Amino acid sequence: MAKMGAEPVCVRTLHSNPRFSRKWRASRRLRLHSCPPLSLTVRASLSTEDKDKFYKELGMFSLRKKIEDVVLRAETLAPAALELEEAIRIKHEETIRQSILWDDLAKSNEVLIKLADSSRVVDALKDLRYKAEEAKLITQLAETDAINYRLFKQAYSASLDVSKLLDKYEMCKLLRGKYDIEGACMIIKAGVSGFYPEIWAEQLLRMYLKWAEKQGHGTRVVEKCLSKNGGIKSATIELESKYAYGYLSGERGVHSMISRCDASVSDEAGMAAVDVIPLFLETAPDLEIGDEDLLISSPSSCEAQWGQTGSAVCIQHIPTGLRAESSGERSCFANKIKAINRLKAKLLVILRDQGISNSRSIKKDSIIDLWNQQTRRYIFSPHKLVQDVKTGIHLPDLNSVLDGNIEPLIAANINSRQDCDTVDIV
Protein backbone atom coordinates (compact mmCIF):
# COMPACT_ATOMS: atom_id res chain seq x y z
CA MET A 1 0.00 0.00 0.00
CA ALA A 2 1.38 3.40 -1.00
CA LYS A 3 2.23 5.94 1.67
CA MET A 4 -0.13 8.78 2.25
CA GLY A 5 2.44 11.37 1.10
CA ALA A 6 3.16 9.57 -2.15
CA GLU A 7 -0.13 10.27 -3.87
CA PRO A 8 -3.31 12.24 -3.32
CA VAL A 9 -6.37 10.94 -1.56
CA CYS A 10 -8.83 10.31 -4.38
CA VAL A 11 -12.19 8.74 -5.06
CA ARG A 12 -14.23 8.55 -8.23
CA THR A 13 -17.74 7.63 -7.12
CA LEU A 14 -18.68 10.36 -4.68
CA HIS A 15 -21.42 11.89 -6.82
CA SER A 16 -23.66 8.88 -6.24
CA ASN A 17 -24.15 9.84 -2.61
CA PRO A 18 -26.70 12.71 -2.29
CA ARG A 19 -25.94 13.26 1.37
CA PHE A 20 -22.24 13.74 0.65
CA SER A 21 -22.93 16.01 -2.33
CA ARG A 22 -25.13 18.34 -0.29
CA LYS A 23 -22.57 18.60 2.48
CA TRP A 24 -19.70 19.11 0.04
CA ARG A 25 -21.53 21.93 -1.73
CA ALA A 26 -22.28 23.49 1.63
CA SER A 27 -18.62 23.31 2.62
CA ARG A 28 -17.63 25.04 -0.63
CA ARG A 29 -20.15 27.83 -0.01
CA LEU A 30 -18.77 28.21 3.49
CA ARG A 31 -15.27 28.84 2.14
CA LEU A 32 -16.45 31.24 -0.54
CA HIS A 33 -17.99 33.62 1.97
CA SER A 34 -15.24 35.24 4.00
CA CYS A 35 -16.04 36.92 7.26
CA PRO A 36 -16.44 40.72 7.25
CA PRO A 37 -13.26 42.67 7.98
CA LEU A 38 -12.56 43.57 11.56
CA SER A 39 -12.49 47.36 11.86
CA LEU A 40 -10.76 48.45 15.02
CA THR A 41 -8.92 51.67 15.88
CA VAL A 42 -5.89 51.74 18.09
CA ARG A 43 -5.70 55.05 19.84
CA ALA A 44 -2.41 56.88 19.72
CA SER A 45 -2.60 57.40 23.47
CA LEU A 46 -2.15 53.67 24.16
CA SER A 47 1.21 52.68 25.58
CA THR A 48 3.61 50.52 23.58
CA GLU A 49 2.89 47.59 25.91
CA ASP A 50 -0.87 47.98 25.43
CA LYS A 51 -0.45 48.16 21.65
CA ASP A 52 1.63 44.98 21.62
CA LYS A 53 -1.03 43.24 23.69
CA PHE A 54 -3.77 44.51 21.37
CA TYR A 55 -2.04 43.30 18.19
CA LYS A 56 -1.27 39.94 19.75
CA GLU A 57 -4.94 39.50 20.69
CA LEU A 58 -5.93 40.56 17.18
CA GLY A 59 -3.53 37.95 15.75
CA MET A 60 -5.03 35.24 17.96
CA PHE A 61 -8.54 36.26 16.89
CA SER A 62 -7.52 35.84 13.25
CA LEU A 63 -5.89 32.46 13.93
CA ARG A 64 -8.91 31.24 15.90
CA LYS A 65 -11.27 32.24 13.08
CA LYS A 66 -9.18 30.37 10.50
CA ILE A 67 -9.01 27.28 12.72
CA GLU A 68 -12.77 27.32 13.33
CA ASP A 69 -13.46 27.58 9.59
CA VAL A 70 -11.28 24.56 8.82
CA VAL A 71 -12.75 22.50 11.67
CA LEU A 72 -16.30 23.32 10.56
CA ARG A 73 -15.42 22.37 7.00
CA ALA A 74 -13.97 19.05 8.19
CA GLU A 75 -16.99 18.32 10.39
CA THR A 76 -19.27 19.04 7.43
CA LEU A 77 -17.44 16.90 4.89
CA ALA A 78 -15.56 14.09 6.65
CA PRO A 79 -18.38 12.02 8.28
CA ALA A 80 -20.36 11.48 5.07
CA ALA A 81 -17.20 10.89 3.04
CA LEU A 82 -15.91 8.36 5.58
CA GLU A 83 -19.27 6.56 5.62
CA LEU A 84 -19.23 6.29 1.83
CA GLU A 85 -15.62 5.10 1.63
CA GLU A 86 -16.14 2.46 4.31
CA ALA A 87 -19.15 1.15 2.38
CA ILE A 88 -16.99 0.91 -0.76
CA ARG A 89 -14.27 -0.93 1.15
CA ILE A 90 -16.76 -3.43 2.60
CA LYS A 91 -18.12 -4.05 -0.90
CA HIS A 92 -14.62 -4.86 -2.19
CA GLU A 93 -13.99 -7.16 0.77
CA GLU A 94 -17.20 -9.07 0.03
CA THR A 95 -16.18 -9.41 -3.60
CA ILE A 96 -12.82 -10.90 -2.60
CA ARG A 97 -14.54 -13.51 -0.44
CA GLN A 98 -16.26 -14.92 -3.51
CA SER A 99 -14.32 -18.06 -4.44
CA ILE A 100 -15.22 -17.73 -8.13
CA LEU A 101 -13.23 -14.48 -8.32
CA TRP A 102 -9.91 -16.31 -8.01
CA ASP A 103 -10.56 -18.20 -11.23
CA ASP A 104 -9.85 -14.93 -13.05
CA LEU A 105 -6.40 -13.72 -12.02
CA ALA A 106 -6.65 -10.35 -13.83
CA LYS A 107 -9.99 -9.52 -12.22
CA SER A 108 -8.82 -10.60 -8.77
CA ASN A 109 -5.76 -8.33 -9.04
CA GLU A 110 -8.00 -5.44 -10.10
CA VAL A 111 -10.26 -5.93 -7.07
CA LEU A 112 -7.25 -6.20 -4.73
CA ILE A 113 -5.93 -2.88 -6.05
CA LYS A 114 -9.32 -1.25 -5.52
CA LEU A 115 -9.49 -2.65 -1.98
CA ALA A 116 -6.03 -1.26 -1.19
CA ASP A 117 -7.05 2.16 -2.56
CA SER A 118 -10.29 2.16 -0.54
CA SER A 119 -8.46 1.18 2.65
CA ARG A 120 -5.94 3.97 2.08
CA VAL A 121 -8.71 6.54 1.60
CA VAL A 122 -10.53 5.36 4.74
CA ASP A 123 -7.32 5.59 6.80
CA ALA A 124 -6.63 9.08 5.43
CA LEU A 125 -10.14 10.29 6.29
CA LYS A 126 -9.84 8.90 9.81
CA ASP A 127 -6.52 10.71 10.19
CA LEU A 128 -8.15 13.88 8.86
CA ARG A 129 -10.95 13.61 11.43
CA TYR A 130 -8.41 13.06 14.21
CA LYS A 131 -6.38 16.13 13.20
CA ALA A 132 -9.54 18.26 13.08
CA GLU A 133 -10.48 17.12 16.59
CA GLU A 134 -6.92 17.84 17.74
CA ALA A 135 -7.05 21.39 16.35
CA LYS A 136 -10.42 21.98 18.01
CA LEU A 137 -9.24 20.66 21.38
CA ILE A 138 -6.04 22.72 21.36
CA THR A 139 -8.06 25.85 20.55
CA GLN A 140 -10.36 25.18 23.50
CA LEU A 141 -7.37 24.65 25.80
CA ALA A 142 -5.80 27.90 24.61
CA GLU A 143 -8.96 29.81 25.48
CA THR A 144 -8.74 28.67 29.10
CA ASP A 145 -5.48 30.63 29.42
CA ALA A 146 -5.46 34.42 29.42
CA ILE A 147 -3.29 34.59 26.30
CA ASN A 148 -1.57 31.49 24.89
CA TYR A 149 -0.30 32.31 21.44
CA ARG A 150 1.84 29.15 21.30
CA LEU A 151 -1.18 26.86 21.61
CA PHE A 152 -3.07 28.80 18.94
CA LYS A 153 -0.12 28.41 16.57
CA GLN A 154 -0.04 24.66 17.30
CA ALA A 155 -3.75 24.37 16.55
CA TYR A 156 -3.32 26.42 13.40
CA SER A 157 -0.55 24.09 12.20
CA ALA A 158 -2.86 21.10 12.68
CA SER A 159 -5.65 22.91 10.84
CA LEU A 160 -3.33 23.52 7.86
CA ASP A 161 -2.78 19.76 7.54
CA VAL A 162 -6.54 19.23 7.63
CA SER A 163 -7.11 21.88 4.99
CA LYS A 164 -4.52 20.37 2.63
CA LEU A 165 -6.06 16.90 2.95
CA LEU A 166 -9.53 18.29 2.29
CA ASP A 167 -8.30 20.25 -0.74
CA LYS A 168 -6.72 17.14 -2.26
CA TYR A 169 -9.82 15.09 -1.54
CA GLU A 170 -12.13 17.63 -3.15
CA MET A 171 -9.87 18.19 -6.18
CA CYS A 172 -9.52 14.48 -6.85
CA LYS A 173 -13.27 14.14 -6.60
CA LEU A 174 -13.45 16.36 -9.68
CA LEU A 175 -10.89 14.31 -11.63
CA ARG A 176 -13.26 12.03 -13.52
CA GLY A 177 -11.68 12.27 -16.98
CA LYS A 178 -10.87 9.09 -18.85
CA TYR A 179 -7.13 9.21 -18.10
CA ASP A 180 -7.07 11.51 -15.06
CA ILE A 181 -6.07 8.65 -12.75
CA GLU A 182 -2.85 7.97 -14.67
CA GLY A 183 0.66 9.26 -14.11
CA ALA A 184 2.03 12.00 -16.33
CA CYS A 185 4.85 12.50 -18.80
CA MET A 186 5.74 16.18 -19.16
CA ILE A 187 7.92 17.46 -22.02
CA ILE A 188 9.27 21.02 -21.81
CA LYS A 189 10.76 22.59 -24.97
CA ALA A 190 12.37 26.02 -25.28
CA GLY A 191 11.42 28.41 -28.05
CA VAL A 192 13.82 29.04 -30.91
CA SER A 193 14.44 32.77 -30.47
CA GLY A 194 17.79 32.61 -28.68
CA PHE A 195 19.20 32.59 -25.17
CA TYR A 196 16.25 33.62 -22.97
CA PRO A 197 13.84 30.83 -23.95
CA GLU A 198 16.41 28.23 -22.88
CA ILE A 199 16.88 29.90 -19.50
CA TRP A 200 13.12 30.16 -19.18
CA ALA A 201 12.60 26.47 -20.02
CA GLU A 202 14.99 25.54 -17.21
CA GLN A 203 13.09 27.80 -14.80
CA LEU A 204 9.83 26.03 -15.70
CA LEU A 205 11.48 22.65 -15.14
CA ARG A 206 12.56 23.72 -11.64
CA MET A 207 9.05 25.03 -10.93
CA TYR A 208 7.40 21.71 -11.76
CA LEU A 209 10.01 19.66 -9.92
CA LYS A 210 9.50 21.77 -6.78
CA TRP A 211 5.73 21.39 -7.07
CA ALA A 212 6.04 17.61 -7.46
CA GLU A 213 8.35 17.38 -4.45
CA LYS A 214 5.96 19.38 -2.26
CA GLN A 215 3.05 17.20 -3.34
CA GLY A 216 4.96 13.98 -2.70
CA HIS A 217 4.81 12.75 -6.30
CA GLY A 218 7.39 10.21 -7.44
CA THR A 219 9.23 12.15 -10.17
CA ARG A 220 12.15 11.38 -12.50
CA VAL A 221 13.96 13.59 -14.98
CA VAL A 222 14.44 11.02 -17.73
CA GLU A 223 15.81 13.27 -20.50
CA LYS A 224 17.46 16.67 -20.58
CA CYS A 225 19.05 18.49 -23.51
CA LEU A 226 21.40 21.20 -22.25
CA SER A 227 22.13 24.46 -24.02
CA LYS A 228 25.61 25.80 -24.80
CA ASN A 229 24.87 29.12 -23.11
CA GLY A 230 23.15 27.76 -20.03
CA GLY A 231 19.57 26.66 -19.63
CA ILE A 232 18.02 23.75 -21.49
CA LYS A 233 16.66 23.13 -24.96
CA SER A 234 14.28 20.43 -23.72
CA ALA A 235 13.55 18.14 -20.79
CA THR A 236 11.24 15.24 -20.05
CA ILE A 237 10.00 14.30 -16.58
CA GLU A 238 7.84 11.35 -15.57
CA LEU A 239 5.52 11.52 -12.57
CA GLU A 240 4.70 8.01 -11.44
CA SER A 241 1.83 8.89 -9.09
CA LYS A 242 -1.87 8.36 -9.53
CA TYR A 243 -3.84 11.38 -10.77
CA ALA A 244 -0.70 13.23 -11.88
CA TYR A 245 -2.15 13.54 -15.40
CA GLY A 246 -5.44 14.85 -14.03
CA TYR A 247 -3.61 17.52 -12.10
CA LEU A 248 -1.18 18.58 -14.82
CA SER A 249 -3.08 18.20 -18.10
CA GLY A 250 -4.17 21.85 -17.87
CA GLU A 251 -0.50 22.94 -18.00
CA ARG A 252 -0.28 21.95 -21.67
CA GLY A 253 0.53 24.87 -23.99
CA VAL A 254 2.84 27.87 -24.27
CA HIS A 255 4.23 29.53 -21.14
CA SER A 256 5.58 33.02 -21.86
CA MET A 257 8.09 35.08 -19.87
CA ILE A 258 7.23 38.79 -20.20
CA SER A 259 10.12 41.06 -19.26
CA ARG A 260 7.95 44.20 -19.30
CA CYS A 261 4.24 44.75 -19.74
CA ASP A 262 2.43 48.11 -19.60
CA ALA A 263 -0.36 49.90 -21.41
CA SER A 264 1.71 50.60 -24.52
CA VAL A 265 4.03 47.62 -24.96
CA SER A 266 4.48 43.99 -23.97
CA ASP A 267 8.03 42.60 -24.33
CA GLU A 268 8.13 38.83 -24.58
CA ALA A 269 11.59 37.69 -23.48
CA GLY A 270 11.11 33.95 -23.79
CA MET A 271 8.68 31.18 -24.63
CA ALA A 272 8.55 27.50 -23.78
CA ALA A 273 6.01 24.84 -24.69
CA VAL A 274 4.81 22.28 -22.15
CA ASP A 275 3.26 19.03 -23.35
CA VAL A 276 1.57 16.62 -20.93
CA ILE A 277 0.53 13.10 -21.87
CA PRO A 278 -0.73 10.18 -19.77
CA LEU A 279 1.85 7.84 -18.29
CA PHE A 280 0.00 4.57 -17.86
CA LEU A 281 0.94 3.11 -14.49
CA GLU A 282 -0.54 -0.32 -15.11
CA THR A 283 -1.93 -1.77 -18.34
CA ALA A 284 -2.13 0.74 -21.18
CA PRO A 285 -5.23 0.72 -23.40
CA ASP A 286 -4.72 -1.31 -26.54
CA LEU A 287 -4.36 0.83 -29.65
CA GLU A 288 -3.38 -0.76 -32.92
CA ILE A 289 -1.25 1.28 -35.32
CA GLY A 290 -0.16 -0.14 -38.65
CA ASP A 291 3.56 -0.15 -39.42
CA GLU A 292 2.82 1.64 -42.67
CA ASP A 293 1.51 4.61 -40.63
CA LEU A 294 4.78 5.06 -38.74
CA LEU A 295 7.98 6.83 -39.75
CA ILE A 296 10.89 5.92 -37.48
CA SER A 297 14.09 7.96 -37.45
CA SER A 298 17.06 8.83 -35.27
CA PRO A 299 17.11 12.58 -34.58
CA SER A 300 20.38 14.44 -34.51
CA SER A 301 21.53 14.61 -30.92
CA CYS A 302 21.88 18.05 -29.37
CA GLU A 303 25.13 18.93 -27.70
CA ALA A 304 25.73 18.27 -24.00
CA GLN A 305 22.74 16.03 -23.59
CA TRP A 306 22.01 14.69 -20.13
CA GLY A 307 20.71 11.15 -19.66
CA GLN A 308 21.12 10.27 -23.36
CA THR A 309 23.21 7.51 -24.89
CA GLY A 310 23.25 8.32 -28.60
CA SER A 311 20.41 5.91 -29.38
CA ALA A 312 17.53 8.41 -29.56
CA VAL A 313 14.43 7.42 -31.52
CA CYS A 314 11.76 9.63 -33.07
CA ILE A 315 8.48 8.16 -34.34
CA GLN A 316 6.01 10.11 -36.46
CA HIS A 317 2.40 9.10 -37.04
CA ILE A 318 2.08 9.88 -40.74
CA PRO A 319 -1.73 10.36 -40.96
CA THR A 320 -1.79 13.00 -38.18
CA GLY A 321 1.78 14.32 -38.21
CA LEU A 322 2.13 13.69 -34.47
CA ARG A 323 5.63 12.90 -33.23
CA ALA A 324 7.06 11.30 -30.11
CA GLU A 325 10.69 10.91 -29.07
CA SER A 326 12.69 9.00 -26.51
CA SER A 327 16.40 9.25 -25.75
CA GLY A 328 16.75 8.40 -22.06
CA GLU A 329 16.94 4.60 -22.34
CA ARG A 330 20.13 2.60 -22.76
CA SER A 331 19.29 0.93 -26.06
CA CYS A 332 17.72 1.91 -29.34
CA PHE A 333 15.10 -0.82 -28.87
CA ALA A 334 14.08 0.46 -25.42
CA ASN A 335 13.82 4.01 -26.75
CA LYS A 336 11.67 2.77 -29.64
CA ILE A 337 9.24 1.08 -27.23
CA LYS A 338 8.99 4.20 -25.06
CA ALA A 339 8.51 6.48 -28.07
CA ILE A 340 5.70 4.26 -29.37
CA ASN A 341 4.02 4.30 -25.96
CA ARG A 342 4.22 8.11 -25.85
CA LEU A 343 2.81 8.36 -29.37
CA LYS A 344 -0.06 6.03 -28.46
CA ALA A 345 -0.78 8.13 -25.37
CA LYS A 346 -1.02 11.27 -27.54
CA LEU A 347 -3.34 9.51 -29.98
CA LEU A 348 -5.54 8.15 -27.19
CA VAL A 349 -6.07 11.67 -25.82
CA ILE A 350 -7.06 12.93 -29.28
CA LEU A 351 -9.40 9.96 -29.78
CA ARG A 352 -11.05 10.83 -26.48
CA ASP A 353 -11.36 14.50 -27.35
CA GLN A 354 -12.81 13.80 -30.80
CA GLY A 355 -15.09 11.02 -29.54
CA ILE A 356 -13.79 8.34 -31.91
CA SER A 357 -12.12 4.94 -31.50
CA ASN A 358 -9.98 4.48 -34.62
CA SER A 359 -6.77 6.44 -35.16
CA ARG A 360 -7.42 6.50 -38.91
CA SER A 361 -10.61 8.50 -38.24
CA ILE A 362 -8.76 11.37 -36.54
CA LYS A 363 -9.46 14.76 -38.10
CA LYS A 364 -6.02 16.23 -38.62
CA ASP A 365 -7.35 19.78 -39.07
CA SER A 366 -8.95 19.60 -35.60
CA ILE A 367 -5.65 18.95 -33.82
CA ILE A 368 -4.48 22.17 -32.14
CA ASP A 369 -0.77 22.77 -32.51
CA LEU A 370 0.94 22.96 -29.11
CA TRP A 371 2.70 26.24 -29.97
CA ASN A 372 -0.62 27.88 -30.86
CA GLN A 373 -2.16 27.20 -27.45
CA GLN A 374 -1.48 29.98 -24.94
CA THR A 375 -1.55 28.79 -21.33
CA ARG A 376 0.14 31.31 -19.02
CA ARG A 377 2.05 34.61 -18.96
CA TYR A 378 4.65 35.36 -16.28
CA ILE A 379 5.19 39.13 -16.05
CA PHE A 380 8.39 40.39 -14.38
CA SER A 381 8.06 44.19 -14.76
CA PRO A 382 6.84 46.76 -13.80
CA HIS A 383 4.72 44.59 -11.49
CA LYS A 384 5.27 40.89 -10.91
CA LEU A 385 2.17 39.01 -11.99
CA VAL A 386 1.10 35.58 -13.25
CA GLN A 387 -1.77 35.59 -15.76
CA ASP A 388 -3.47 32.28 -16.49
CA VAL A 389 -4.92 32.56 -19.98
CA LYS A 390 -7.17 29.49 -19.75
CA THR A 391 -8.94 30.38 -16.51
CA GLY A 392 -8.48 34.15 -16.40
CA ILE A 393 -7.12 34.23 -12.85
CA HIS A 394 -4.20 36.50 -11.87
CA LEU A 395 -1.72 35.82 -9.07
CA PRO A 396 0.48 38.68 -7.80
CA ASP A 397 3.17 36.53 -6.15
CA LEU A 398 5.33 35.54 -9.13
CA ASN A 399 8.22 34.32 -7.01
CA SER A 400 5.96 31.99 -5.05
CA VAL A 401 4.59 30.46 -8.26
CA LEU A 402 8.09 29.91 -9.66
CA ASP A 403 8.97 28.27 -6.34
CA GLY A 404 6.45 25.54 -7.12
CA ASN A 405 3.33 26.90 -5.43
CA ILE A 406 1.03 26.39 -8.43
CA GLU A 407 -1.87 24.73 -6.58
CA PRO A 408 -4.26 27.69 -7.12
CA LEU A 409 -3.60 27.58 -10.87
CA ILE A 410 -4.09 23.81 -11.04
CA ALA A 411 -7.26 23.97 -8.93
CA ALA A 412 -8.70 26.74 -11.11
CA ASN A 413 -8.06 24.69 -14.24
CA ILE A 414 -9.65 21.56 -12.76
CA ASN A 415 -12.71 23.58 -11.74
CA SER A 416 -12.97 25.15 -15.20
CA ARG A 417 -12.84 21.69 -16.81
CA GLN A 418 -15.56 20.57 -14.42
CA ASP A 419 -17.72 23.55 -15.43
CA CYS A 420 -17.22 22.71 -19.13
CA ASP A 421 -18.22 19.10 -18.51
CA THR A 422 -21.36 20.27 -16.71
CA VAL A 423 -22.31 22.53 -19.63
CA ASP A 424 -21.76 19.67 -22.09
CA ILE A 425 -24.02 17.39 -20.05
CA VAL A 426 -26.75 20.02 -19.85
Side-chain angles (χ1 to χ4, degrees), residues 82-314:
L82 183 58
E83 179 183 343
L84 175 64
E85 293 302 325
E86 286 182 329
I88 294 174
R89 183 183 64 176
I90 291 172
K91 182 179 178 181
H92 291 323
E93 289 174 345
E94 292 174 349
T95 303
I96 287 177
R97 292 191 188 100
Q98 298 175 5
S99 57
I100 192 174
L101 173 69
W102 300 103
D103 297 334
D104 188 340
L105 183 60
K107 188 174 182 180
S108 62
N109 286 337
E110 181 182 349
V111 175
L112 285 171
I113 291 172
K114 289 181 178 179
L115 175 61
D117 288 342
S118 295
S119 299
R120 178 179 55 81
V121 173
V122 168
D123 292 341
L125 287 171
K126 288 181 178 178
D127 185 56
L128 183 153
R129 188 173 62 179
Y130 168 78
K131 286 181 178 295
E133 292 173 352
E134 178 188 24
K136 187 176 182 178
L137 177 60
I138 295 174
T139 305
Q140 292 171 347
L141 290 174
E143 289 175 349
T144 61
D145 266 337
I147 293 179
N148 198 324
Y149 194 62
R150 181 185 60 81
L151 281 177
F152 271 118
K153 289 181 68 175
Q154 185 180 346
Y156 181 62
S157 177
S159 72
L160 287 179
D161 293 337
V162 173
S163 184
K164 288 179 181 178
L165 286 170
L166 286 171
D167 288 342
K168 287 184 178 181
Y169 190 84
E170 291 181 342
M171 281 297 101
C172 289
K173 187 170 66 68
L174 299 177
L175 296 177
R176 304 194 310 275
K178 191 171 183 179
Y179 304 120
D180 283 351
I181 194 174
E182 302 296 343
C185 175
M186 175 178 281
I187 303 109
I188 303 171
K189 291 188 176 183
V192 294
S193 57
F195 168 72
Y196 288 108
E198 295 166 352
I199 298 296
W200 177 235
E202 186 175 36
Q203 179 68 67
L204 289 177
L205 174 63
R206 287 199 297 266
M207 179 183 77
Y208 287 119
L209 290 176
K210 288 179 180 179
W211 172 81
E213 182 182 2
K214 291 175 181 179
Q215 298 299 312
H217 291 298
T219 308
R220 295 187 305 136
V221 180
V222 294
E223 299 160 15
K224 187 191 289 186
C225 179
L226 304 178
S227 169
K228 287 182 178 180
N229 303 315
I232 60 172
K233 293 183 178 180
S234 65
T236 302
I237 60 177
E238 293 181 348
L239 295 94
E240 300 174 336
S241 298
K242 285 186 176 181
Y243 293 93
Y245 179 72
Y247 276 108
L248 292 174
S249 58
E251 297 297 299
R252 187 178 188 273
V254 174
H255 294 243
S256 302
M257 178 177 69
I258 311 297
S259 59
R260 181 174 181 82
C261 181
D262 53 36
S264 59
V265 65
S266 178
D267 296 330
E268 190 173 84
M271 296 172 58
V274 175
D275 198 4
V276 184
I277 58 177
L279 178 65
F280 295 102
L281 301 175
E282 296 170 12
T283 304
D286 186 26
L287 179 64
E288 294 185 4
I289 306 176
D291 292 340
E292 67 278 6
D293 290 337
L294 298 178
L295 178 62
I296 302 176
S297 60
S298 297
S300 58
S301 59
C302 66
E303 297 184 22
Q305 294 206 40
W306 177 93
Q308 299 191 8
T309 59
S311 56
V313 173
C314 175

Side-chain angles (χ1 to χ4, degrees), residues 309-325:
T309 59
S311 56
V313 173
C314 175
I315 301 180
Q316 181 178 7
H317 185 243
I318 297 173
T320 61
L322 292 175
R323 297 160 57 95
E325 299 179 8

Side-chain angles (χ1 to χ4, degrees), residues 374-394:
Q374 289 290 327
T375 296
R376 197 168 298 140
R377 303 170 80 238
Y378 304 77
I379 300 172
F380 285 76
S381 177
H383 305 292
K384 293 184 177 181
L385 183 68
V386 178
Q387 297 178 338
D388 195 82
V389 179
K390 292 181 178 179
T391 62
I393 70 169
H394 293 180

Side-chain angles (χ1 to χ4, degrees), residues 1 11 78 125 139 174 203 249 280 333 340 358 370 399 415:
M1 185 181 299
V11 294
L125 287 171
T139 305
L174 299 177
Q203 179 68 67
S249 58
F280 295 102
F333 177 76
I340 288 177
N358 191 320
L370 183 65
N399 291 334
N415 278 299

